[in-house]
Amino acid sequence: MGENGSRFRDFLAELRRRRVFRVAVVYAVASFGILQVADIAFPALRLPEWTITLVVAITLLGFPIAMVLAWAFDITPRGVVRTESLQDEKTPYRRPGRGPALIAVGLVSVLTIAAAFYMLPRLPGWGSVEQDDRSLLVVLPFVNLGSAVNEYFA
């Protein structure tokens, strides 16, 4: 595990330096807040049930995009700039290349898509079969358990 463990630690250090973990936590908290507001507001606005499913799908699909942007860009006093790689001898990646970053982005994308395919069919209103517009009324006979005076209720 010597070389691979060191590479993994270097990769985690680079993720911390580029603030990818921070963006992931902020995105998760913001998504949770948006989903809570949608869960409360959409029924009050009489929006169809599939709109909540749409919000869930959009937040799931937006996560990999946020991670890629967090890796590539940084917010500075000068504005949004491209994240610069370290040029000194203590660079986390000893060989140039985008391999680990592409693997991480691919892994996050695959996990997000897998979570979407797992969660979306289980949400209410997703893929439901349309029902008839007819309403059914079922009347069951009652047994008179009281006095004979109240027989007409049965």
Side-chain angles (χ1 to χ4, degrees):
M1 174 157 168
E3 179 67 26
N4 289 337
S6 175
R7 281 181 149 171
F8 184 70
R9 278 193 301 271
D10 291 344
F11 180 66
L12 289 178
E14 184 69 10
L15 287 176
R16 260 186 255 115
R17 184 183 77 84
R18 292 180 182 240
R19 298 186 180 117
V20 175
F21 292 128
R22 185 180 302 171
V23 171
V25 169
V26 169
Y27 190 89
V29 169
S31 296
F32 179 76
I34 289 169
L35 291 173
Q36 292 301 312
V37 168
D39 191 35
I40 293 169
F42 286 11
L45 296 172
R46 297 180 191 244
L47 295 175
E49 287 186 28
W50 62 264
T51 55
I52 294 176
T53 305
L54 179 65
V55 171
V56 170
I58 289 172
T59 55
L60 286 175
L61 294 175
F63 184 74
I65 295 169
M67 294 300 97
V68 169
L69 292 176
W71 177 269
F73 297 101
D74 195 13
I75 298 175
T76 65
R78 299 177 310 200
V80 177
V81 295
R82 186 169 176 85
T83 303
E84 298 174 9
S85 60
L86 296 175
Q87 297 298 328
D88 60 356
E89 193 64 31
K90 298 188 183 217
T91 304
Y93 295 108
R94 286 167 180 69
R95 47 186 186 131
R98 297 184 180 166
L102 291 176
I103 290 171
V105 169
L107 181 65
V108 168
S109 299
V110 166
L111 290 175
T112 303
I113 291 170
F117 277 115
Y118 178 76
M119 291 300 295
L120 287 179
R122 288 163 176 75
L123 293 174
W126 182 267
S128 63
V129 178
E130 295 291 328
Q131 296 179 355
D132 284 344
D133 290 335
R134 298 180 300 162
S135 297
L136 298 176
L137 177 64
V138 178
V139 178
L140 299 174
F142 294 104
V143 176
N144 186 14
L145 299 175
S147 66
V149 176
N150 296 328
E151 183 77 33
Y152 60 92
F153 284 124

